[in-house]
Amino acid sequence: MSKKDQYPVSRYTGLPVEDDGNGGYQLHYDANGQIRLHTWRTGKHTKGRFRRIGQLMLTENGLMVMIVKSEPMAFKDRHSEVPLGRFLSANVDSATLAKGLTILDQQS
């Protein structure tokens, strides 16, 4: 692949969230009361742009995720992660973000 066909790639670590019914978002725990960090990357067709930690994104499967970590990734390593679908302009509130960052610290 030529250099001109390459694009910047970043890895995003996030936690699933759901609508809380009051116009905000809350962390989404599975049926066992667990929540796990997952990683995605920007892809060639990713829509929107990353602005800050706490921003929401949609996966290609329609899962809504709160981003808790962003880091650059080598273009050649991109196939080790699944591409994300799109960045949303919405962000979580500071309490939800703080909870997410605590989970990041515990699981990293």
Side-chain angles (χ1 to χ4, degrees):
M1 179 177 284
S2 71
K3 215 45 164 162
K4 72 178 183 64
D5 293 330
Q6 293 186 15
Y7 50 90
V9 179
S10 293
R11 176 184 296 120
Y12 298 95
T13 303
L15 293 162
V17 294
E18 59 192 0
D19 193 316
D20 68 2
N22 294 319
Y25 302 91
Q26 63 191 14
L27 295 174
H28 175 74
Y29 293 84
D30 67 19
N32 300 323
Q34 304 292 311
I35 190 165
R36 287 194 2 243
L37 293 166
H38 296 280
T39 54
W40 293 268
R41 66 167 172 91
T42 44
K44 191 172 197 167
H45 304 290
T46 300
K47 305 280 187 258
R49 86 202 300 204
F50 175 71
R51 290 186 170 78
R52 66 186 178 105
I53 298 299
Q55 182 175 347
L56 298 178
M57 68 179 196
L58 275 179
T59 67
E60 290 186 330
N61 297 333
L63 179 68
M64 197 173 335
V65 174
M66 170 183 63
I67 300 168
V68 292
K69 184 178 178 183
S70 167
E71 56 194 329
M73 184 177 192
F75 186 80
K76 66 180 176 57
D77 297 335
R78 71 191 185 284
H79 294 296
S80 66
E81 301 292 348
V82 177
L84 63 96
R86 70 172 36 240
F87 292 106
L88 302 175
S89 56
N91 300 290
V92 297
D93 61 36
S94 56
T96 305
L97 177 57
K99 211 184 288 186
L101 293 173
T102 300
I103 293 167
L104 175 67
D105 285 343
Q106 292 169 346
Q107 293 187 18
S108 295

